[in-house]
Amino acid sequence: MYFLTTQDINDLARELQKTHAVYGPQVNAQTGQVFFDLLAESDLPDLEAAIPSMPVKEILFPQMERILKYSYDTQAQSVTLEKQYGEKLKVLFGLRPCDLAGIQCLDRFFLGQEFVDDVYLAHRRQSILITNTCTRPWDQCFCVCTHTGPAADEGFDLDLTRLDDGYLVQVGSEKGQALADTHGWATAERRRLAEKAAVVDRCVERFPDQAKDNKAWISRAMNRITTGFVKHEIWEYIGQQCFECGACSFVCPSCSCFNIEDVTLCGDSCERLRTRDSCSFSGYTRMAGDHNPRAPVEDRRNKRFFCKLSYTQSKKYLRPGCVGCGRCQLVCPGDIGLPNVVQYIRRETTE
């Protein structure tokens, strides 16, 4: 553990910008929205900003990414392949704990199973993750229900907690320790841990009053979804509300579905694109011959919430698929973000 002043944190960000692409939270002056974006040379991460409007996974798992370019020489009958994704050093500076939990889900999906995704690995192994403990909840937050906040427990390289007179910095990896050793930071006193605990406790106490948009106590809903005791009428109602727009998938930090497309360029060249997909789309499960085993929208909504809340998925990810950020609630035009769906299911169990 180390103790740094606000100036020390700013100096660290500027120092990292010399060798890395540094991403951090920034507030748009016109709209007030928060975006986690590449910092310009003169910019610093706004560590007091709210949760970003879009998930941080955009940096490691972009919505569209060119992963391969290839061309076929018809005369020589040979194929030339060229990798398009790069291994650029990057720092995610000021991650909220819920977004870190989303990255951990992506890690287990792309890297923790039988096959390793080389494209995601190229992004991930060159990244430094610096988390930022939440000192207050925002309207849509329910991370206390998914055990993803207000503070991060693991998975970070460095973790920052704002105290009254500076920042407590905790090391979580060899990368983080290397940064600490390089800069020669002052070791923090043990009493600083108690100060951090007090900050986290105060944040949790503020949830009932400040996290007004969400009351997503999900344990009962997880039990009902896992055991299949949700009435079909509930899924039908949820399906009727769905616009099949895919917005919930695109703003979810843990959604990992994607599609691969080959696009023909000029001449004999083609490029291979990876684009994010969504189980909301009617074509998501369409098979050869145009057969679709999940044609009704309620079947696809069922699958989404099973993915987020079932014990089966929790076993695979070692945590629920939902990280409690509340973004799906904000963007859903049909008002069936995960917190509302949890309410529908819990209301059914009490009838």
Side-chain angles (χ1 to χ4, degrees):
M1 295 189 306
Y2 302 90
F3 185 77
L4 275 65
T5 65
T6 301
Q7 185 59 49
D8 292 333
I9 296 295
N10 293 340
D11 291 343
L12 173 63
R14 290 196 174 96
E15 186 70 25
L16 287 169
Q17 282 180 308
K18 297 176 183 178
T19 53
H20 295 68
V22 179
Y23 297 81
Q26 301 173 82
V27 181
N28 184 288
Q30 293 182 326
T31 65
Q33 281 189 290
V34 181
F35 295 96
F36 203 95
D37 207 349
L38 182 66
L39 298 177
E41 187 174 343
S42 59
D43 290 337
L44 291 169
D46 186 347
L47 299 181
E48 301 299 320
I51 295 173
S53 300
M54 293 298 291
V56 177
K57 74 174 182 182
E58 177 67 29
I59 301 163
L60 305 175
F61 177 41
Q63 187 161 325
M64 184 185 76
E65 182 173 20
R66 293 172 177 84
I67 62 176
L68 184 70
K69 185 177 181 180
Y70 61 93
S71 59
Y72 179 67
D73 188 328
T74 55
Q75 293 185 346
Q77 293 187 343
S78 62
V79 177
T80 303
L81 300 176
E82 181 184 350
K83 184 181 74 171
Q84 292 291 293
Y85 58 92
E87 300 188 19
K88 188 176 182 180
L89 295 172
K90 55 180 75 73
V91 180
L92 279 59
F93 202 117
L95 278 171
R96 292 297 179 184
C98 54
D99 275 321
L100 175 65
I103 291 174
Q104 290 176 301
C105 288
L106 296 180
D107 286 352
R108 291 176 183 122
F109 178 82
F110 287 113
L111 309 178
Q113 302 186 76
E114 182 179 0
F115 299 102
V116 171
D117 186 287
D118 288 340
V119 181
Y120 181 81
L121 178 61
H123 288 294
R124 188 68 177 83
R125 66 185 172 190
Q126 298 293 338
S127 301
I128 296 174
L129 306 183
I130 301 178
T131 50
N132 181 25
T133 300
C134 294
T135 59
R136 55 151 293 180
W138 283 269
D139 288 354
Q140 77 274 16
C141 297
F142 60 102
C143 60
V144 289
C145 304
T146 57
H147 194 58
T148 52
D153 294 327
E154 60 179 1
F156 53 82
D157 297 307
L158 292 176
D159 178 60
L160 312 180
T161 302
R162 184 76 170 95
L163 304 179
D164 291 337
D165 53 346
Y167 284 87
L168 176 65
V169 181
Q170 292 179 273
V171 171
S173 72
E174 292 180 0
K175 287 182 184 178
Q177 190 61 59
L179 283 174
D181 294 341
T182 299
H183 292 84
W185 293 331
T187 303
E189 301 173 359
R190 296 294 298 179
R191 65 179 176 85
R192 295 293 186 179
L193 276 179
E195 293 180 28
K196 175 182 177 178
V199 168
V200 172
D201 289 344
R202 284 197 298 270
C203 181
V204 172
E205 290 170 359
R206 296 169 72 176
F207 268 79
D209 295 327
Q210 295 191 335
K212 295 175 290 188
D213 289 351
N214 284 325
K215 295 293 182 288
W217 307 105
I218 67 173
S219 58
R220 180 65 63 85
M222 289 182 69
N223 179 275
R224 302 291 289 188
I225 288 175
T226 302
T227 54
F229 287 125
V230 180
K231 293 178 182 177
H232 185 68
E233 292 79 7
I234 296 294
W235 293 125
E236 281 189 334
Y237 174 75
I238 292 170
Q240 289 167 2
Q241 303 295 107
C242 181
F243 283 75
E244 303 181 56
C245 64
C248 53
S249 298
F250 294 137
V251 300
C252 177
S254 64
C255 274
S256 53
C257 293
F258 62 88
N259 195 14
I260 297 291
E261 299 180 53
D262 284 0
V263 179
T264 303
L265 304 176
C266 296
D268 297 324
S269 296
C270 295
E271 61 181 5
R272 180 161 293 174
L273 306 178
R274 173 152 80 180
T275 58
R276 289 200 220 133
D277 205 349
S278 171
C279 57
S280 301
F281 300 152
S282 59
Y284 179 77
T285 53
R286 188 181 299 124
M287 302 168 67
D290 209 33
H291 172 62
N292 194 338
R294 290 187 179 271
V297 65
E298 60 266 23
D299 287 353
R300 283 176 270 124
R301 296 302 74 206
N302 179 326
K303 177 65 176 68
R304 171 174 170 76
F305 295 110
F306 184 89
C307 183
K308 297 302 170 190
L309 296 177
S310 74
Y311 292 133
T312 304
Q313 290 296 102
S314 297
K315 184 177 179 181
K316 182 169 73 173
Y317 291 137
L318 305 181
R319 49 153 295 101
C322 174
V323 301
C325 66
R327 292 185 178 101
C328 59
Q329 186 87 337
L330 293 177
V331 302
C332 179
D335 207 22
I336 51 169
L338 187 135
N340 276 354
V341 170
V342 168
Q343 292 281 34
Y344 300 149
I345 295 172
R346 285 175 56 86
R347 189 179 304 143
E348 176 204 348
T349 64
T350 59
E351 290 177 352

